Amino acid sequence: MSTELIAMLGGGASGFIFKLIGTMVSAQQANVDNLIKKQKASTESDDAADKRGGAGGAWIRRLIVVTVLFGVIVAPFLLAHSGDGVTVQSEYSKWFGLFTGTTYETLHGYVILPEIRTAILSIVSFYFGSSTVK
């Protein structure tokens, strides 16, 4: 191969690589711009919802917080002294999964559901997140 041919192939390959890198950078920049626009729209929507909520929305949020905290803090102590139980479903399998069935067991105490844990996490992140921003 002659040096001119090698130089031409090298120049074409390096031009392709730089064009590819430029295209990838512009695509990433467009993606970032779209994410910024999406965040701006989300912020405007949140601000509009906050203006619509007013004092009534604040009282509804407070009622939800009090209800969830009652279910996590007060209710376990009250239900620990009652004789009633909570019936839960459990599935079983025997003989390597050939025979399956459902049994029901009564648990004494208080069952904290995953929904309650999610609500607690939402409350903590909302109130501590908003206090951090302020």
PDB file of all heavy atoms in Angstrom, residues 26-65:
ATOM      1  N   SER A  26     -24.262  15.818  20.267  1.00  0.00           N
ATOM      2  CA  SER A  26     -25.468  16.606  19.978  1.00  0.00           C
ATOM      3  C   SER A  26     -26.730  15.871  20.426  1.00  0.00           C
ATOM      4  O   SER A  26     -27.671  16.506  20.905  1.00  0.00           O
ATOM      5  CB  SER A  26     -25.536  16.949  18.489  1.00  0.00           C
ATOM      6  OG  SER A  26     -25.675  15.787  17.712  1.00  0.00           O
ATOM      7  N   ALA A  27     -26.750  14.549  20.308  1.00  0.00           N
ATOM      8  CA  ALA A  27     -27.910  13.777  20.783  1.00  0.00           C
ATOM      9  C   ALA A  27     -28.022  13.867  22.298  1.00  0.00           C
ATOM     10  O   ALA A  27     -29.123  14.013  22.849  1.00  0.00           O
ATOM     11  CB  ALA A  27     -27.800  12.324  20.339  1.00  0.00           C
ATOM     12  N   GLN A  28     -26.890  13.798  22.978  1.00  0.00           N
ATOM     13  CA  GLN A  28     -26.911  13.909  24.432  1.00  0.00           C
ATOM     14  C   GLN A  28     -27.333  15.315  24.865  1.00  0.00           C
ATOM     15  O   GLN A  28     -28.075  15.469  25.828  1.00  0.00           O
ATOM     16  CB  GLN A  28     -25.542  13.566  24.998  1.00  0.00           C
ATOM     17  CG  GLN A  28     -25.508  13.477  26.505  1.00  0.00           C
ATOM     18  CD  GLN A  28     -24.155  13.018  27.019  1.00  0.00           C
ATOM     19  OE1 GLN A  28     -23.188  12.957  26.282  1.00  0.00           O
ATOM     20  NE2 GLN A  28     -24.104  12.715  28.297  1.00  0.00           N
ATOM     21  N   GLN A  29     -26.886  16.321  24.141  1.00  0.00           N
ATOM     22  CA  GLN A  29     -27.277  17.688  24.461  1.00  0.00           C
ATOM     23  C   GLN A  29     -28.779  17.887  24.247  1.00  0.00           C
ATOM     24  O   GLN A  29     -29.449  18.533  25.050  1.00  0.00           O
ATOM     25  CB  GLN A  29     -26.488  18.672  23.613  1.00  0.00           C
ATOM     26  CG  GLN A  29     -26.715  20.112  23.980  1.00  0.00           C
ATOM     27  CD  GLN A  29     -25.836  21.051  23.154  1.00  0.00           C
ATOM     28  OE1 GLN A  29     -25.184  20.616  22.216  1.00  0.00           O
ATOM     29  NE2 GLN A  29     -25.843  22.310  23.513  1.00  0.00           N
ATOM     30  N   ALA A  30     -29.316  17.307  23.185  1.00  0.00           N
ATOM     31  CA  ALA A  30     -30.758  17.391  22.950  1.00  0.00           C
ATOM     32  C   ALA A  30     -31.528  16.671  24.052  1.00  0.00           C
ATOM     33  O   ALA A  30     -32.585  17.147  24.497  1.00  0.00           O
ATOM     34  CB  ALA A  30     -31.101  16.793  21.586  1.00  0.00           C
ATOM     35  N   ASN A  31     -30.990  15.554  24.522  1.00  0.00           N
ATOM     36  CA  ASN A  31     -31.633  14.815  25.603  1.00  0.00           C
ATOM     37  C   ASN A  31     -31.649  15.642  26.890  1.00  0.00           C
ATOM     38  O   ASN A  31     -32.655  15.691  27.595  1.00  0.00           O
ATOM     39  CB  ASN A  31     -30.911  13.483  25.827  1.00  0.00           C
ATOM     40  CG  ASN A  31     -31.645  12.571  26.771  1.00  0.00           C
ATOM     41  OD1 ASN A  31     -32.821  12.765  27.041  1.00  0.00           O
ATOM     42  ND2 ASN A  31     -30.948  11.580  27.283  1.00  0.00           N
ATOM     43  N   VAL A  32     -30.551  16.298  27.192  1.00  0.00           N
ATOM     44  CA  VAL A  32     -30.484  17.150  28.385  1.00  0.00           C
ATOM     45  C   VAL A  32     -31.455  18.320  28.251  1.00  0.00           C
ATOM     46  O   VAL A  32     -32.145  18.677  29.213  1.00  0.00           O
ATOM     47  CB  VAL A  32     -29.034  17.631  28.621  1.00  0.00           C
ATOM     48  CG1 VAL A  32     -28.978  18.721  29.673  1.00  0.00           C
ATOM     49  CG2 VAL A  32     -28.148  16.461  29.024  1.00  0.00           C
ATOM     50  N   ASP A  33     -31.531  18.922  27.084  1.00  0.00           N
ATOM     51  CA  ASP A  33     -32.477  20.015  26.871  1.00  0.00           C
ATOM     52  C   ASP A  33     -33.914  19.550  27.074  1.00  0.00           C
ATOM     53  O   ASP A  33     -34.725  20.257  27.686  1.00  0.00           O
ATOM     54  CB  ASP A  33     -32.318  20.596  25.468  1.00  0.00           C
ATOM     55  CG  ASP A  33     -31.009  21.358  25.302  1.00  0.00           C
ATOM     56  OD1 ASP A  33     -30.411  21.755  26.324  1.00  0.00           O
ATOM     57  OD2 ASP A  33     -30.585  21.548  24.137  1.00  0.00           O
ATOM     58  N   ASN A  34     -34.242  18.355  26.579  1.00  0.00           N
ATOM     59  CA  ASN A  34     -35.588  17.810  26.778  1.00  0.00           C
ATOM     60  C   ASN A  34     -35.868  17.541  28.246  1.00  0.00           C
ATOM     61  O   ASN A  34     -36.983  17.778  28.734  1.00  0.00           O
ATOM     62  CB  ASN A  34     -35.775  16.537  25.960  1.00  0.00           C
ATOM     63  CG  ASN A  34     -35.891  16.814  24.484  1.00  0.00           C
ATOM     64  OD1 ASN A  34     -36.266  17.909  24.068  1.00  0.00           O
ATOM     65  ND2 ASN A  34     -35.566  15.817  23.675  1.00  0.00           N
ATOM     66  N   LEU A  35     -34.879  17.049  28.974  1.00  0.00           N
ATOM     67  CA  LEU A  35     -35.069  16.807  30.406  1.00  0.00           C
ATOM     68  C   LEU A  35     -35.277  18.112  31.166  1.00  0.00           C
ATOM     69  O   LEU A  35     -36.092  18.181  32.092  1.00  0.00           O
ATOM     70  CB  LEU A  35     -33.867  16.049  30.976  1.00  0.00           C
ATOM     71  CG  LEU A  35     -33.738  14.579  30.565  1.00  0.00           C
ATOM     72  CD1 LEU A  35     -32.426  13.993  31.063  1.00  0.00           C
ATOM     73  CD2 LEU A  35     -34.915  13.772  31.078  1.00  0.00           C
ATOM     74  N   ILE A  36     -34.554  19.167  30.765  1.00  0.00           N
ATOM     75  CA  ILE A  36     -34.731  20.468  31.413  1.00  0.00           C
ATOM     76  C   ILE A  36     -36.126  21.013  31.131  1.00  0.00           C
ATOM     77  O   ILE A  36     -36.794  21.540  32.028  1.00  0.00           O
ATOM     78  CB  ILE A  36     -33.630  21.445  30.951  1.00  0.00           C
ATOM     79  CG1 ILE A  36     -32.276  21.024  31.532  1.00  0.00           C
ATOM     80  CG2 ILE A  36     -33.962  22.882  31.337  1.00  0.00           C
ATOM     81  CD1 ILE A  36     -31.105  21.792  30.991  1.00  0.00           C
ATOM     82  N   LYS A  37     -36.604  20.871  29.905  1.00  0.00           N
ATOM     83  CA  LYS A  37     -37.962  21.320  29.575  1.00  0.00           C
ATOM     84  C   LYS A  37     -39.004  20.533  30.359  1.00  0.00           C
ATOM     85  O   LYS A  37     -39.988  21.094  30.855  1.00  0.00           O
ATOM     86  CB  LYS A  37     -38.218  21.159  28.078  1.00  0.00           C
ATOM     87  CG  LYS A  37     -37.481  22.158  27.218  1.00  0.00           C
ATOM     88  CD  LYS A  37     -37.729  21.895  25.741  1.00  0.00           C
ATOM     89  CE  LYS A  37     -36.872  22.783  24.860  1.00  0.00           C
ATOM     90  NZ  LYS A  37     -37.032  22.470  23.440  1.00  0.00           N
ATOM     91  N   LYS A  38     -38.780  19.234  30.495  1.00  0.00           N
ATOM     92  CA  LYS A  38     -39.713  18.388  31.241  1.00  0.00           C
ATOM     93  C   LYS A  38     -39.739  18.791  32.713  1.00  0.00           C
ATOM     94  O   LYS A  38     -40.806  18.861  33.327  1.00  0.00           O
ATOM     95  CB  LYS A  38     -39.303  16.920  31.095  1.00  0.00           C
ATOM     96  CG  LYS A  38     -40.227  15.949  31.748  1.00  0.00           C
ATOM     97  CD  LYS A  38     -39.769  14.516  31.504  1.00  0.00           C
ATOM     98  CE  LYS A  38     -40.661  13.530  32.210  1.00  0.00           C
ATOM     99  NZ  LYS A  38     -40.180  12.157  32.042  1.00  0.00           N
ATOM    100  N   GLN A  39     -38.579  19.072  33.282  1.00  0.00           N
ATOM    101  CA  GLN A  39     -38.517  19.494  34.684  1.00  0.00           C
ATOM    102  C   GLN A  39     -39.186  20.852  34.874  1.00  0.00           C
ATOM    103  O   GLN A  39     -39.873  21.077  35.867  1.00  0.00           O
ATOM    104  CB  GLN A  39     -37.060  19.554  35.157  1.00  0.00           C
ATOM    105  CG  GLN A  39     -36.902  19.931  36.613  1.00  0.00           C
ATOM    106  CD  GLN A  39     -37.542  18.923  37.537  1.00  0.00           C
ATOM    107  OE1 GLN A  39     -37.510  17.726  37.288  1.00  0.00           O
ATOM    108  NE2 GLN A  39     -38.150  19.410  38.599  1.00  0.00           N
ATOM    109  N   LYS A  40     -39.009  21.748  33.919  1.00  0.00           N
ATOM    110  CA  LYS A  40     -39.646  23.066  34.008  1.00  0.00           C
ATOM    111  C   LYS A  40     -41.169  22.928  33.955  1.00  0.00           C
ATOM    112  O   LYS A  40     -41.886  23.571  34.724  1.00  0.00           O
ATOM    113  CB  LYS A  40     -39.163  23.966  32.873  1.00  0.00           C
ATOM    114  CG  LYS A  40     -39.682  25.389  32.968  1.00  0.00           C
ATOM    115  CD  LYS A  40     -39.295  26.229  31.761  1.00  0.00           C
ATOM    116  CE  LYS A  40     -37.827  26.581  31.844  1.00  0.00           C
ATOM    117  NZ  LYS A  40     -37.425  27.517  30.774  1.00  0.00           N
ATOM    118  N   ALA A  41     -41.662  22.062  33.069  1.00  0.00           N
ATOM    119  CA  ALA A  41     -43.112  21.838  32.985  1.00  0.00           C
ATOM    120  C   ALA A  41     -43.637  21.216  34.270  1.00  0.00           C
ATOM    121  O   ALA A  41     -44.724  21.575  34.745  1.00  0.00           O
ATOM    122  CB  ALA A  41     -43.429  20.945  31.786  1.00  0.00           C
ATOM    123  N   SER A  42     -42.890  20.298  34.851  1.00  0.00           N
ATOM    124  CA  SER A  42     -43.300  19.677  36.103  1.00  0.00           C
ATOM    125  C   SER A  42     -43.339  20.697  37.237  1.00  0.00           C
ATOM    126  O   SER A  42     -44.267  20.703  38.050  1.00  0.00           O
ATOM    127  CB  SER A  42     -42.350  18.535  36.450  1.00  0.00           C
ATOM    128  OG  SER A  42     -42.672  17.983  37.699  1.00  0.00           O
ATOM    129  N   THR A  43     -42.348  21.561  37.285  1.00  0.00           N
ATOM    130  CA  THR A  43     -42.310  22.596  38.319  1.00  0.00           C
ATOM    131  C   THR A  43     -43.470  23.566  38.159  1.00  0.00           C
ATOM    132  O   THR A  43     -44.109  23.948  39.149  1.00  0.00           O
ATOM    133  CB  THR A  43     -40.970  23.354  38.255  1.00  0.00           C
ATOM    134  OG1 THR A  43     -39.913  22.412  38.409  1.00  0.00           O
ATOM    135  CG2 THR A  43     -40.872  24.402  39.341  1.00  0.00           C
ATOM    136  N   GLU A  44     -43.776  23.968  36.928  1.00  0.00           N
ATOM    137  CA  GLU A  44     -44.913  24.866  36.694  1.00  0.00           C
ATOM    138  C   GLU A  44     -46.226  24.199  37.085  1.00  0.00           C
ATOM    139  O   GLU A  44     -47.104  24.837  37.666  1.00  0.00           O
ATOM    140  CB  GLU A  44     -44.935  25.289  35.235  1.00  0.00           C
ATOM    141  CG  GLU A  44     -43.811  26.226  34.854  1.00  0.00           C
ATOM    142  CD  GLU A  44     -43.745  26.489  33.357  1.00  0.00           C
ATOM    143  OE1 GLU A  44     -44.561  25.905  32.610  1.00  0.00           O
ATOM    144  OE2 GLU A  44     -42.871  27.271  32.934  1.00  0.00           O
ATOM    145  N   SER A  45     -46.351  22.904  36.804  1.00  0.00           N
ATOM    146  CA  SER A  45     -47.558  22.175  37.184  1.00  0.00           C
ATOM    147  C   SER A  45     -47.685  22.082  38.700  1.00  0.00           C
ATOM    148  O   SER A  45     -48.780  22.244  39.251  1.00  0.00           O
ATOM    149  CB  SER A  45     -47.530  20.777  36.567  1.00  0.00           C
ATOM    150  OG  SER A  45     -48.618  20.016  37.020  1.00  0.00           O
ATOM    151  N   ASP A  46     -46.567  21.833  39.387  1.00  0.00           N
ATOM    152  CA  ASP A  46     -46.592  21.774  40.846  1.00  0.00           C
ATOM    153  C   ASP A  46     -46.961  23.125  41.445  1.00  0.00           C
ATOM    154  O   ASP A  46     -47.729  23.193  42.412  1.00  0.00           O
ATOM    155  CB  ASP A  46     -45.232  21.327  41.388  1.00  0.00           C
ATOM    156  CG  ASP A  46     -44.917  19.880  41.045  1.00  0.00           C
ATOM    157  OD1 ASP A  46     -45.853  19.144  40.652  1.00  0.00           O
ATOM    158  OD2 ASP A  46     -43.738  19.491  41.172  1.00  0.00           O
ATOM    159  N   ASP A  47     -46.421  24.198  40.880  1.00  0.00           N
ATOM    160  CA  ASP A  47     -46.745  25.534  41.376  1.00  0.00           C
ATOM    161  C   ASP A  47     -48.220  25.856  41.161  1.00  0.00           C
ATOM    162  O   ASP A  47     -48.875  26.438  42.036  1.00  0.00           O
ATOM    163  CB  ASP A  47     -45.876  26.585  40.694  1.00  0.00           C
ATOM    164  CG  ASP A  47     -44.423  26.493  41.123  1.00  0.00           C
ATOM    165  OD1 ASP A  47     -44.139  25.865  42.162  1.00  0.00           O
ATOM    166  OD2 ASP A  47     -43.563  27.041  40.396  1.00  0.00           O
ATOM    167  N   ALA A  48     -48.753  25.472  40.007  1.00  0.00           N
ATOM    168  CA  ALA A  48     -50.180  25.707  39.744  1.00  0.00           C
ATOM    169  C   ALA A  48     -51.049  24.903  40.698  1.00  0.00           C
ATOM    170  O   ALA A  48     -52.067  25.399  41.192  1.00  0.00           O
ATOM    171  CB  ALA A  48     -50.509  25.354  38.296  1.00  0.00           C
ATOM    172  N   ALA A  49     -50.662  23.667  40.988  1.00  0.00           N
ATOM    173  CA  ALA A  49     -51.431  22.844  41.924  1.00  0.00           C
ATOM    174  C   ALA A  49     -51.356  23.416  43.332  1.00  0.00           C
ATOM    175  O   ALA A  49     -52.338  23.380  44.083  1.00  0.00           O
ATOM    176  CB  ALA A  49     -50.902  21.413  41.909  1.00  0.00           C
ATOM    177  N   ASP A  50     -50.212  23.968  43.698  1.00  0.00           N
ATOM    178  CA  ASP A  50     -50.069  24.579  45.015  1.00  0.00           C
ATOM    179  C   ASP A  50     -50.966  25.801  45.149  1.00  0.00           C
ATOM    180  O   ASP A  50     -51.583  26.026  46.187  1.00  0.00           O
ATOM    181  CB  ASP A  50     -48.610  24.958  45.256  1.00  0.00           C
ATOM    182  CG  ASP A  50     -48.375  25.462  46.672  1.00  0.00           C
ATOM    183  OD1 ASP A  50     -48.986  24.903  47.605  1.00  0.00           O
ATOM    184  OD2 ASP A  50     -47.587  26.410  46.833  1.00  0.00           O
ATOM    185  N   LYS A  51     -51.086  26.597  44.089  1.00  0.00           N
ATOM    186  CA  LYS A  51     -51.950  27.777  44.126  1.00  0.00           C
ATOM    187  C   LYS A  51     -53.421  27.379  44.199  1.00  0.00           C
ATOM    188  O   LYS A  51     -54.225  28.050  44.841  1.00  0.00           O
ATOM    189  CB  LYS A  51     -51.700  28.649  42.898  1.00  0.00           C
ATOM    190  CG  LYS A  51     -50.365  29.352  42.933  1.00  0.00           C
ATOM    191  CD  LYS A  51     -50.133  30.151  41.668  1.00  0.00           C
ATOM    192  CE  LYS A  51     -48.738  30.756  41.669  1.00  0.00           C
ATOM    193  NZ  LYS A  51     -48.413  31.412  40.405  1.00  0.00           N
ATOM    194  N   ARG A  52     -53.788  26.280  43.514  1.00  0.00           N
ATOM    195  CA  ARG A  52     -55.185  25.821  43.550  1.00  0.00           C
ATOM    196  C   ARG A  52     -55.551  25.248  44.905  1.00  0.00           C
ATOM    197  O   ARG A  52     -56.683  25.338  45.344  1.00  0.00           O
ATOM    198  CB  ARG A  52     -55.416  24.756  42.480  1.00  0.00           C
ATOM    199  CG  ARG A  52     -55.589  25.277  41.103  1.00  0.00           C
ATOM    200  CD  ARG A  52     -56.091  24.193  40.168  1.00  0.00           C
ATOM    201  NE  ARG A  52     -55.289  22.989  40.185  1.00  0.00           N
ATOM    202  CZ  ARG A  52     -54.267  22.740  39.374  1.00  0.00           C
ATOM    203  NH1 ARG A  52     -53.931  23.623  38.466  1.00  0.00           N
ATOM    204  NH2 ARG A  52     -53.605  21.614  39.440  1.00  0.00           N
ATOM    205  N   GLY A  53     -54.589  24.594  45.570  1.00  0.00           N
ATOM    206  CA  GLY A  53     -54.877  23.907  46.830  1.00  0.00           C
ATOM    207  C   GLY A  53     -55.286  24.853  47.935  1.00  0.00           C
ATOM    208  O   GLY A  53     -56.282  24.642  48.617  1.00  0.00           O
ATOM    209  N   GLY A  54     -54.539  25.895  48.132  1.00  0.00           N
ATOM    210  CA  GLY A  54     -54.855  26.878  49.166  1.00  0.00           C
ATOM    211  C   GLY A  54     -54.815  26.266  50.551  1.00  0.00           C
ATOM    212  O   GLY A  54     -54.115  25.303  50.833  1.00  0.00           O
ATOM    213  N   ALA A  55     -55.595  26.861  51.458  1.00  0.00           N
ATOM    214  CA  ALA A  55     -55.620  26.408  52.847  1.00  0.00           C
ATOM    215  C   ALA A  55     -56.313  25.057  52.986  1.00  0.00           C
ATOM    216  O   ALA A  55     -55.969  24.255  53.854  1.00  0.00           O
ATOM    217  CB  ALA A  55     -56.309  27.442  53.718  1.00  0.00           C
ATOM    218  N   GLY A  56     -57.298  24.787  52.136  1.00  0.00           N
ATOM    219  CA  GLY A  56     -58.004  23.503  52.213  1.00  0.00           C
ATOM    220  C   GLY A  56     -57.087  22.334  51.913  1.00  0.00           C
ATOM    221  O   GLY A  56     -57.154  21.288  52.564  1.00  0.00           O
ATOM    222  N   GLY A  57     -56.193  22.505  50.936  1.00  0.00           N
ATOM    223  CA  GLY A  57     -55.248  21.444  50.611  1.00  0.00           C
ATOM    224  C   GLY A  57     -54.291  21.162  51.749  1.00  0.00           C
ATOM    225  O   GLY A  57     -53.921  20.025  52.009  1.00  0.00           O
ATOM    226  N   ALA A  58     -53.898  22.216  52.459  1.00  0.00           N
ATOM    227  CA  ALA A  58     -53.010  22.041  53.607  1.00  0.00           C
ATOM    228  C   ALA A  58     -53.700  21.245  54.711  1.00  0.00           C
ATOM    229  O   ALA A  58     -53.086  20.372  55.335  1.00  0.00           O
ATOM    230  CB  ALA A  58     -52.548  23.396  54.132  1.00  0.00           C
ATOM    231  N   TRP A  59     -54.988  21.523  54.929  1.00  0.00           N
ATOM    232  CA  TRP A  59     -55.707  20.776  55.971  1.00  0.00           C
ATOM    233  C   TRP A  59     -55.908  19.319  55.577  1.00  0.00           C
ATOM    234  O   TRP A  59     -55.859  18.428  56.436  1.00  0.00           O
ATOM    235  CB  TRP A  59     -57.046  21.455  56.281  1.00  0.00           C
ATOM    236  CG  TRP A  59     -56.862  22.628  57.187  1.00  0.00           C
ATOM    237  CD1 TRP A  59     -56.923  23.939  56.845  1.00  0.00           C
ATOM    238  CD2 TRP A  59     -56.522  22.582  58.567  1.00  0.00           C
ATOM    239  NE1 TRP A  59     -56.655  24.720  57.931  1.00  0.00           N
ATOM    240  CE2 TRP A  59     -56.403  23.908  59.016  1.00  0.00           C
ATOM    241  CE3 TRP A  59     -56.306  21.557  59.478  1.00  0.00           C
ATOM    242  CZ2 TRP A  59     -56.087  24.231  60.325  1.00  0.00           C
ATOM    243  CZ3 TRP A  59     -55.988  21.877  60.789  1.00  0.00           C
ATOM    244  CH2 TRP A  59     -55.880  23.191  61.190  1.00  0.00           C
ATOM    245  N   ILE A  60     -56.139  19.060  54.311  1.00  0.00           N
ATOM    246  CA  ILE A  60     -56.276  17.675  53.853  1.00  0.00           C
ATOM    247  C   ILE A  60     -54.965  16.925  54.047  1.00  0.00           C
ATOM    248  O   ILE A  60     -54.946  15.782  54.522  1.00  0.00           O
ATOM    249  CB  ILE A  60     -56.713  17.636  52.368  1.00  0.00           C
ATOM    250  CG1 ILE A  60     -58.107  18.207  52.192  1.00  0.00           C
ATOM    251  CG2 ILE A  60     -56.633  16.234  51.807  1.00  0.00           C
ATOM    252  CD1 ILE A  60     -59.194  17.418  52.881  1.00  0.00           C
ATOM    253  N   ARG A  61     -53.843  17.570  53.706  1.00  0.00           N
ATOM    254  CA  ARG A  61     -52.538  16.923  53.914  1.00  0.00           C
ATOM    255  C   ARG A  61     -52.290  16.657  55.392  1.00  0.00           C
ATOM    256  O   ARG A  61     -51.775  15.602  55.766  1.00  0.00           O
ATOM    257  CB  ARG A  61     -51.419  17.789  53.320  1.00  0.00           C
ATOM    258  CG  ARG A  61     -51.370  17.769  51.816  1.00  0.00           C
ATOM    259  CD  ARG A  61     -50.107  18.412  51.286  1.00  0.00           C
ATOM    260  NE  ARG A  61     -49.965  19.812  51.668  1.00  0.00           N
ATOM    261  CZ  ARG A  61     -50.431  20.830  50.978  1.00  0.00           C
ATOM    262  NH1 ARG A  61     -51.084  20.615  49.851  1.00  0.00           N
ATOM    263  NH2 ARG A  61     -50.240  22.070  51.389  1.00  0.00           N
ATOM    264  N   ARG A  62     -52.649  17.595  56.230  1.00  0.00           N
ATOM    265  CA  ARG A  62     -52.475  17.398  57.682  1.00  0.00           C
ATOM    266  C   ARG A  62     -53.332  16.244  58.188  1.00  0.00           C
ATOM    267  O   ARG A  62     -52.888  15.460  59.025  1.00  0.00           O
ATOM    268  CB  ARG A  62     -52.823  18.681  58.427  1.00  0.00           C
ATOM    269  CG  ARG A  62     -51.815  19.772  58.207  1.00  0.00           C
ATOM    270  CD  ARG A  62     -52.217  21.049  58.899  1.00  0.00           C
ATOM    271  NE  ARG A  62     -51.311  22.118  58.515  1.00  0.00           N
ATOM    272  CZ  ARG A  62     -51.662  23.380  58.377  1.00  0.00           C
ATOM    273  NH1 ARG A  62     -52.916  23.739  58.603  1.00  0.00           N
ATOM    274  NH2 ARG A  62     -50.785  24.277  58.025  1.00  0.00           N
ATOM    275  N   LEU A  63     -54.566  16.131  57.682  1.00  0.00           N
ATOM    276  CA  LEU A  63     -55.441  15.033  58.085  1.00  0.00           C
ATOM    277  C   LEU A  63     -54.858  13.685  57.661  1.00  0.00           C
ATOM    278  O   LEU A  63     -54.875  12.717  58.426  1.00  0.00           O
ATOM    279  CB  LEU A  63     -56.835  15.216  57.484  1.00  0.00           C
ATOM    280  CG  LEU A  63     -57.842  14.107  57.789  1.00  0.00           C
ATOM    281  CD1 LEU A  63     -58.176  14.104  59.271  1.00  0.00           C
ATOM    282  CD2 LEU A  63     -59.083  14.279  56.946  1.00  0.00           C
ATOM    283  N   ILE A  64     -54.308  13.630  56.454  1.00  0.00           N
ATOM    284  CA  ILE A  64     -53.683  12.393  55.983  1.00  0.00           C
ATOM    285  C   ILE A  64     -52.486  12.029  56.852  1.00  0.00           C
ATOM    286  O   ILE A  64     -52.292  10.872  57.233  1.00  0.00           O
ATOM    287  CB  ILE A  64     -53.287  12.525  54.498  1.00  0.00           C
ATOM    288  CG1 ILE A  64     -54.531  12.596  53.620  1.00  0.00           C
ATOM    289  CG2 ILE A  64     -52.392  11.368  54.060  1.00  0.00           C
ATOM    290  CD1 ILE A  64     -54.258  12.955  52.176  1.00  0.00           C
ATOM    291  N   VAL A  65     -51.672  13.026  57.203  1.00  0.00           N
ATOM    292  CA  VAL A  65     -50.503  12.773  58.047  1.00  0.00           C
ATOM    293  C   VAL A  65     -50.924  12.259  59.415  1.00  0.00           C
ATOM    294  O   VAL A  65     -50.362  11.287  59.934  1.00  0.00           O
ATOM    295  CB  VAL A  65     -49.639  14.050  58.165  1.00  0.00           C
ATOM    296  CG1 VAL A  65     -48.591  13.906  59.250  1.00  0.00           C
ATOM    297  CG2 VAL A  65     -48.977  14.357  56.848  1.00  0.00           C
TER     298      VAL A  65
END
